[in-house]
Amino acid sequence: MLESLEKMLAKGADNSLLRFGLGKGYLDQGEHAKAAEHFQRCVTFDPKYSAAWKLLGKAYLALGDHAAARQAWEHGLEAARAHGDKQAEKEMTVFLKKLERQAP
């Protein structure tokens, strides 16, 4: 699947859905830096894409960048609240609370 998405991107197709798919694929494979790059492009296309913010935060957390993860989830919370996406809002609230507990 990733290969076909990368081919689409190489041919000039570029949008939030394509970037989300690439980010999710790379996140699932443990390639967190590539995942973060694609999720970042995704939310640049569509700042209201709460699912992308959520997974962007997860990618940053996996990279050990807690500040970037927090920032992504805070943006994601705003997007989720604006769209009434209660599930994403709950999940990111939990992620932020866990992050606060991990802080030194």
Side-chain angles (χ1 to χ4, degrees):
M1 180 185 125
L2 272 176
E3 191 176 315
S4 62
L5 293 177
E6 285 286 4
K7 283 180 183 174
M8 289 172 65
L9 186 61
K11 288 180 182 175
D14 199 0
N15 58 50
S16 60
L17 197 56
L18 177 61
R19 292 295 184 150
F20 183 85
L22 285 163
K24 177 85 171 81
Y26 284 118
L27 189 65
D28 291 347
Q29 288 185 355
E31 294 189 49
H32 303 115
K34 279 187 175 183
E37 178 185 326
H38 288 295
F39 287 130
Q40 189 61 58
R41 291 287 296 144
C42 177
V43 296
T44 299
F45 279 117
D46 184 358
K48 299 172 188 162
Y49 204 147
S50 56
W53 284 113
K54 179 178 78 171
L55 296 182
L56 176 60
K58 284 189 164 200
Y60 280 137
L61 186 64
L63 290 168
D65 191 341
H66 292 197
R70 175 180 288 109
Q71 188 175 30
W73 290 330
E74 286 171 352
H75 283 291
L77 275 174
E78 289 175 28
R81 286 179 184 136
H83 274 73
D85 187 351
K86 297 291 184 193
Q87 183 60 34
E89 183 181 344
K90 284 180 191 175
E91 289 177 38
M92 286 184 276
T93 299
V94 169
F95 295 159
L96 283 165
K97 286 179 181 175
K98 284 183 182 177
L99 196 59
E100 292 299 321
R101 287 195 296 264
Q102 292 174 0

